[in-house]
Amino acid sequence: MEAERAAERERARIARDMHDILAHTVSLMVVQAEAGPVVVRSHPARAEAAFDAIASAGRDAMVQLRRLLGVLKDDEVPPRAPQPTIGDLPALAGQVGGTGLDVAFVESGEPRPLAPDSAVAAYRITQEALTNIVKHSGADSADIRLTWEDDTLMIDITDNGAGGGRALPSGGNGLIGIRERAVACGGDATAGPRQDGPGFVVSVRLPLAAS
């Protein structure tokens, strides 16, 4: 029974990761597909970059989905598939930057160990926040800021868009998912309009691994 429950929990996690991968990738591909024809004559290089980004995002999604689907074939409790973690955030910023959104990545403080689940959550939370920006904000720039404190990692994702998103705790499904991931790791999340100008901010606190 315990093995069956463990398998069910793992499959639920995999289903959620598959949702994250598809939602993020499709959003990026749609933005690029819409931009490509607009600039194909006036800026051929930008059009070429847009279509390259579509292909790259699609290939990356296929690799991740094959890993997860391979795990689901097992009847036993599946091992965890390799997951992107906090160290992959600069690459994520570059990937999203291919949509035309200018994404800056800033890190301050001394990096410290995170629990494996928290390291994955940091990536997925940031990915979800960026997907929301691409889909809903109308922003042209966003910042990912990691601040390492004594016993906490703070992640702030800000944009300069319309700032009309719904704040936590009500929020949309994406924001609720962000909060749930943070809480599952012993942290918390807030989201709402920026106070220092136009745009939206998602702030997440994750505890560092016990030394």
Side-chain angles (χ1 to χ4, degrees), residues 30-124:
V30 167
V31 170
Q32 293 288 15
E34 290 175 343
V38 173
V39 296
V40 69
R41 291 186 178 85
S42 58
H43 297 89
R46 285 181 58 190
E48 183 177 353
F51 294 123
D52 285 345
I54 292 171
S56 177
R59 285 192 297 267
D60 180 66
M62 290 300 297
V63 169
Q64 294 190 58
L65 290 172
R66 284 193 187 105
R67 289 175 183 165
L68 295 175
L69 291 172
V71 170
L72 288 173
K73 291 178 182 178
D74 295 334
D75 292 329
E76 302 298 325
V77 178
R80 284 183 178 267
Q83 291 289 312
T85 68
I86 192 168
D88 298 298
L89 286 180
L92 175 65
Q95 182 189 47
V96 176
T99 66
L101 181 71
D102 183 14
V103 182
F105 178 84
V106 180
E107 190 171 11
S108 62
E110 180 182 353
R112 303 184 182 205
L114 278 173
D117 284 354
S118 294
V120 173
Y123 181 93
R124 292 300 184 198

Side-chain angles (χ1 to χ4, degrees), residues 1-12 76-78:
M1 288 295 295
E2 180 56 33
E4 291 178 3
R5 285 194 293 269
E8 289 173 1
R9 289 194 297 269
E10 190 69 3
R11 286 182 170 86
E76 302 298 325
V77 178

Side-chain angles (χ1 to χ4, degrees), residues 109-110 112-113 147-153 206-209 211:
E110 180 182 353
R112 303 184 182 205
T147 305
W148 296 90
E149 300 176 350
D150 289 343
D151 57 359
T152 300
L153 170 64
L206 295 176
L208 300 184
S211 57

Side-chain angles (χ1 to χ4, degrees), residues 123-153:
Y123 181 93
R124 292 300 184 198
I125 286 169
T126 304
Q127 182 183 51
E128 182 66 40
L130 291 174
T131 300
N132 286 343
I133 292 171
V134 170
K135 290 171 64 177
H136 303 301
S137 74
D140 56 27
S141 68
D143 294 331
I144 305 168
R145 181 176 295 276
L146 271 57
T147 305
W148 296 90
E149 300 176 350
D150 289 343
D151 57 359
T152 300
L153 170 64

